[in-house]
Amino acid sequence: MKRLFLSLSLFYAVNLSAQQADYPIKAVNFTAVKLSDNFWLPRIQVNHQVTIPASFARCENTGRVKNFEMAAAHSGKFCTKFTFDDTDIYKTIEGASFSMAVTPDKKMDRYVDSLIAIVAKAQEPDGYLYTARTIDPLHPPEWAGPERWVNEHSMSHELYNSGHLFEAASAHYLATGKRNFLDIALKNADLLVRTFGPGKRGVAPGHEVVEMGLVKLYRITGRKDYLALAKFFIDERGKRGYKKDSENEWQNGKYWQDDKPVTAQDEAEGHAVRAMYLYAAMADIAAIDGDTAYLAAIDRIWDNMTGKKIYVQGGIGAVPDGERFGEDYELPNATAYNETCAAIGNAFWNERMFLLHGDAKYIDLLEKVMYNGLISGLGLDGKSFFYTNAMEVRDDFKHGSLERSRSGWFECSCCPTNLVRFLPSVPGYMYAQEGKKVYVNLYINSTATLKVENSDVVIRQEHDYPWEGNILLKLDPVKATAFELRVRIPGWVNGEAIADGLYRFKDTKADAAVIAVNGKVQPYRVEKGYAVLNRMWKKGDVVSVSLPMRVKEVLADGRLVDDEGKVAIQRGPLVYCAEWKDNGGKVSNLFGLGDKWDVVMEKGMLNGVVVLRGEGKRVEVRDGVVDTREEKVTLIPYYSWANRGEGEMSVWFLEKVRGVSLR
């Protein structure tokens, strides 16, 4: 099956090249990279063995599969809560397809085919596929609206369902070569082409993703009407009449990114997941059509997000009410929302921004998101999940969206199924190419096979990242080949906590990355965050990259009021936190952390983590008297919290006590 995926991907790439331009930089297909590391590979294996089967089982147990069966029979009552519940099946099939491309699984393949057959029977003759209406067209759920499409601009999610159908069917076709799912998607896409467009029905989809899905179908089929429809949906934004003077984001259109045309937008706004999917689709169109207005808009929006609207661990969407971005610098810790789906969408968008610009700052942010606020959404057991990702948990504070522990499933389970489809694709973020330029973006032990100047080049990574920063890249070209190896020097090495300066390291000194080729230290120039090594590469060449991993204190921009006078702790790409389990059952009263840390690998803890052990202070009330004392402090990687029971957790720590509130 892997060989099939590779041959299909090659056909897909050749076909695309023959059609027209696309991203100037091309990601190396994930099937060309075989992982061997101890960090990501076990997670991907658990995803295949545990998470995907559990997701399919929950789709059955919660009635999601039954909805399709009832739609096929045109009988019954829609039995789940949300009109977009169909997509949990689509996303799980997408994840299974990615996973089977590298781990063939006949049993899973047969099961996926059985689900696709059920989906096919639920599709209406003209291609419409939306179980919430088809089961009982006269009595659809309220969100669906009384007729097709009439509520699409807000909450029906008809086009959202189509978008995830398109993405899943594309993955399944490329993974298996089968057309059974793709044909369902194309039938639905053809209905959309007949229904929407200039002189037809117009709408700005209430929840974006159909735009990304249409682009994927375009790349497979070469059908320009699919691409045109994706752009049409994007350009419909800003046309609907809203109450422009209202501060309510649902009433003024900001919640839907619909308050103004996309080319006039300059800040990350509204529902965070919707926003990420929109900006990713705009990047796709900018790459394919050369739309400079789209490009300028997403550049402005990215600067706004990274400079004013992102948490220190890469989380976005601060406001629980609407799962949305707040105003500039509105990043409270106690009520932080940080939906897991938003983190995944942020990863999608940042990869695309890199493919457009070739700048390492986008991979820096992608890495921050992946290692912190994204994988925190999945428990180490592979079957428990966070929908939201807290910045602090206190015993004396609760709010409706705060999750103190992970859950097996949710009524709205978009996040678990999004994780299912993201994890198998991780190897595809590691390398990219632009002609004779080979980009090394992520450091994960692996063997990758690339083609440079029509010659095979194998690159092996050997190291213990993210725990240590000594990287070995072993190159084995079939024949001596001249090309540029572009090795990312992470921003955290250069003294940059995040692009645009919303967070900064207390110690502003930049560390020096040392690079050697075949044991000889090499001078190198840095271009857009990459060390450029241009030479004739021969079999057996070894590049060693030393990335200093000092423990660093992070400070926030003074306009982030919740972080004033506080520090966070980062080592390498990992943001750390204190959890109750390691710190006497309580962490909300810790402050004054020292600057000396013991870096200790604990192989038997949390599936193997590097912990930081140091000194701090604790303030307590003993017999009515306020007491401050020195305390041993242990920090763990943020992603790993809440795997050992419920209790307090904190990312930010006061440097000193500024006052006491009596009660």
Side-chain angles (χ1 to χ4, degrees):
M1 188 175 291
K2 179 176 180 180
R3 187 175 301 161
L4 175 61
F5 194 109
L6 286 169
S7 62
L8 283 168
S9 297
L10 179 61
F11 168 78
Y12 166 69
V14 171
N15 190 35
L16 175 60
S17 177
Q19 291 165 15
Q20 62 184 70
D22 206 294
Y23 286 101
I25 302 171
K26 313 294 184 188
V28 172
N29 195 289
F30 76 98
T31 59
V33 184
K34 183 178 180 180
L35 300 192
S36 55
D37 83 317
N38 293 320
F39 191 91
W40 288 105
L41 180 59
R43 286 170 167 79
I44 293 170
Q45 291 172 332
V46 168
N47 187 63
H48 185 90
Q49 298 163 3
V50 177
T51 316
I52 292 172
S55 184
F56 279 137
R58 287 160 179 163
C59 284
E60 291 193 14
N61 297 338
T62 59
R64 283 159 169 79
V65 175
K66 184 179 179 181
N67 280 336
F68 282 92
E69 293 171 336
M70 290 189 293
H74 299 283
S75 176
K77 183 178 180 181
F78 187 72
C79 66
T80 58
K81 183 173 182 178
F82 296 105
T83 55
F84 51 80
D85 287 336
D86 293 357
T87 66
D88 290 325
I89 292 177
Y90 301 154
K91 286 185 285 184
T92 308
I93 291 176
E94 182 178 354
S97 300
F98 285 143
S99 193
M100 289 189 293
V102 293
T103 306
D105 187 324
K106 292 181 179 179
K107 180 180 178 181
M108 186 178 290
D109 189 33
R110 288 193 298 270
Y111 180 77
V112 166
D113 278 345
S114 72
L115 278 184
I116 292 171
I118 292 171
V119 171
K121 292 177 182 178
Q123 188 169 34
E124 297 189 24
D126 66 351
Y128 189 72
L129 185 53
Y130 182 70
T131 67
R133 188 181 314 281
T134 302
I135 292 171
D136 184 359
L138 297 180
H139 305 94
E142 181 180 356
W143 278 14
E147 299 174 1
R148 289 184 184 183
W149 320 120
V150 297
N151 210 24
E152 171 54 38
H153 68 281
S154 57
M155 299 303 289
S156 79
H157 290 81
E158 287 155 287
L159 294 178
Y160 174 80
N161 286 12
S162 292
H164 277 301
L165 168 66
F166 300 163
E167 295 224 313
S170 298
H172 182 260
Y173 170 70
L174 291 172
T176 67
K178 301 176 185 177
R179 292 189 59 97
N180 51 344
F181 205 18
L182 180 65
D183 286 341
I184 297 170
L186 296 179
K187 188 175 180 180
N188 184 257
D190 289 344
L191 170 66
L192 302 190
V193 169
R194 294 194 303 271
T195 304
F196 299 96
K200 307 171 191 175
R201 182 186 288 268
V203 70
H207 195 313
E208 299 89 333
V209 83
V210 68
E211 305 86 348
M212 296 168 67
L214 283 165
V215 170
K216 289 190 175 179
L217 292 184
Y218 158 72
R219 287 183 171 135
I220 288 174
T221 65
R223 289 270 302 273
K224 292 188 177 181
D225 49 355
Y226 293 162
L227 183 66
L229 184 57
K231 190 174 190 305
F232 174 81
F233 284 140
I234 293 172
D235 289 340
E236 282 294 286
R237 299 193 174 277
K239 296 182 178 180
R240 178 172 288 273
Y242 289 97
K243 297 179 180 179
K244 301 297 184 182
D245 57 348
S246 174
E247 294 184 1
N248 183 304
E249 293 206 358
W250 287 266
Q251 294 180 3
N252 64 27
K254 282 189 174 183
Y255 177 79
W256 326 98
Q257 299 82 41
D258 197 18
D259 57 317
K260 61 183 73 169
V262 294
T263 54
Q265 296 184 25
D266 54 15
E267 64 175 304
E269 66 180 27
H271 186 270
V273 183
R274 286 170 164 88
M276 292 301 101
Y277 290 171
L278 171 62
Y279 307 150
M282 289 173 66
D284 285 341
I285 300 297
I288 295 170
D289 273 2
D291 195 312
T292 56
Y294 276 16
L295 183 59
I298 55 178
D299 283 346
R300 294 192 304 269
I301 293 167
W302 192 89
D303 287 343
N304 171 260
M305 181 187 74
T306 58
K308 299 176 181 179
K309 296 187 177 183
I310 192 167
Y311 282 96
V312 71
Q313 41 63 288
I316 55 171
V319 181
D321 181 22
E323 307 174 333
R324 59 188 171 86
F325 286 102
E327 298 300 319
D328 290 349
Y329 308 108
E330 185 182 354
L331 293 166
N333 291 320
T335 59
Y337 198 76
N338 290 338
E339 184 180 342
T340 299
C341 280
I344 293 170
N346 204 3
F348 293 158
W349 183 30
N350 275 279
E351 186 206 22
R352 286 164 166 82
M353 294 297 281
F354 160 74
L355 296 176
L356 282 169
H357 293 298
D359 196 315
K361 68 181 182 180
Y362 302 110
I363 303 299
D364 286 346
L365 185 53
L366 170 68
E367 180 181 69
K368 177 178 282 288
V369 170
M370 283 177 57
Y371 278 94
N372 297 288
L374 191 158
I375 57 169
S376 57
L378 178 63
L380 297 179
D381 61 2
K383 54 185 179 181
S384 59
F385 307 90
F386 275 140
Y387 191 102
T388 66
N389 293 273
M391 295 300 293
E392 67 178 35
V393 176
R394 302 171 60 102
D395 289 338
D396 61 357
F397 178 81
K398 296 180 180 179
H399 72 93
S401 298
L402 176 64
E403 294 176 71
R404 300 173 67 91
S405 61
R406 294 177 181 84
S407 302
W409 198 250
F410 307 94
E411 275 193 312
C412 173
S413 271
C414 52
C415 295
T417 51
N418 237 350
L419 284 163
V420 159
R421 72 182 183 128
F422 178 80
L423 283 169
S425 70
V426 165
Y429 293 89
M430 289 181 60
Y431 294 96
Q433 291 181 248
E434 182 182 15
K436 296 176 69 173
K437 299 175 184 176
V438 174
Y439 292 85
V440 182
N441 283 331
L442 297 180
Y443 299 112
I444 303 174
N445 274 2
S446 57
T447 300
T449 302
L450 292 69
K451 193 168 286 292
V452 183
E453 295 290 282
N454 294 317
S455 180
D456 286 343
V457 176
V458 174
I459 302 177
R460 294 181 178 85
Q461 290 196 28
E462 296 179 4
H463 47 74
D464 198 20
Y465 198 87
W467 312 121
E468 299 296 338
N470 296 318
I471 311 295
L472 285 183
L473 304 173
K474 297 183 176 181
L475 282 74
D476 282 321
V478 170
K479 62 181 181 180
T481 306
F483 61 89
E484 279 187 7
L485 188 68
R486 294 191 163 220
V487 179
R488 182 175 65 94
I489 307 300
W492 50 262
V493 173
N494 296 322
E496 185 176 71
I498 196 169
D500 293 334
L502 186 61
Y503 305 98
R504 68 187 188 281
F505 293 127
K506 189 174 184 179
D507 181 353
T508 59
K509 176 185 175 183
D511 294 316
V514 178
I515 297 180
V517 178
N518 299 329
K520 184 178 180 180
V521 174
Q522 298 290 311
Y524 57 87
R525 79 176 194 273
V526 176
E527 186 175 314
K528 293 185 176 181
Y530 289 90
V532 180
L533 305 175
N534 192 358
R535 58 183 284 148
M536 180 72 71
W537 297 98
K538 302 183 297 296
K539 188 175 182 64
D541 282 342
V542 177
V543 179
S544 62
V545 184
S546 177
L547 305 175
M549 277 196 178
R550 291 189 293 126
V551 179
K552 298 183 179 183
E553 294 176 299
V554 183
L555 303 177
D557 185 293
R559 287 165 286 192
L560 300 186
V561 294
D562 269 22
D563 303 331
E564 183 181 359
K566 297 178 181 179
V567 298
I569 304 297
Q570 180 172 335
R571 179 176 181 269
L574 296 171
V575 173
Y576 277 72
C577 69
E579 192 179 25
W580 66 280
K581 184 76 172 179
D582 313 298
N583 296 283
K586 194 173 185 66
V587 301
S588 58
N589 58 353
L590 293 175
F591 73 101
L593 303 186
D595 58 3
K596 305 293 184 184
W597 296 95
D598 292 328
V599 178
V600 182
M601 167 55 77
E602 292 285 2
K603 293 184 178 180
M605 180 178 174
L606 297 167
N607 289 355
V609 292
V610 164
V611 302
L612 305 179
R613 294 200 173 104
E615 303 284 341
K617 297 177 182 177
R618 187 187 297 275
V619 60
E620 291 183 313
V621 178
R622 294 172 177 267
D623 298 325
V625 177
V626 177
D627 176 45
T628 299
R629 56 189 171 87
E630 301 291 328
E631 186 90 359
K632 298 287 186 183
V633 175
T634 297
L635 305 183
I636 62 172
Y638 170 82
Y639 76 78
S640 65
W641 80 277
N643 280 287
R644 299 173 294 174
E646 291 188 13
E648 291 196 335
M649 181 276 294
S650 186
V651 173
W652 290 96
F653 305 91
L654 278 170
E655 293 188 275
K656 59 183 178 181
V657 174
R658 293 179 294 173
V660 177
S661 177
L662 300 179
R663 60 183 176 88

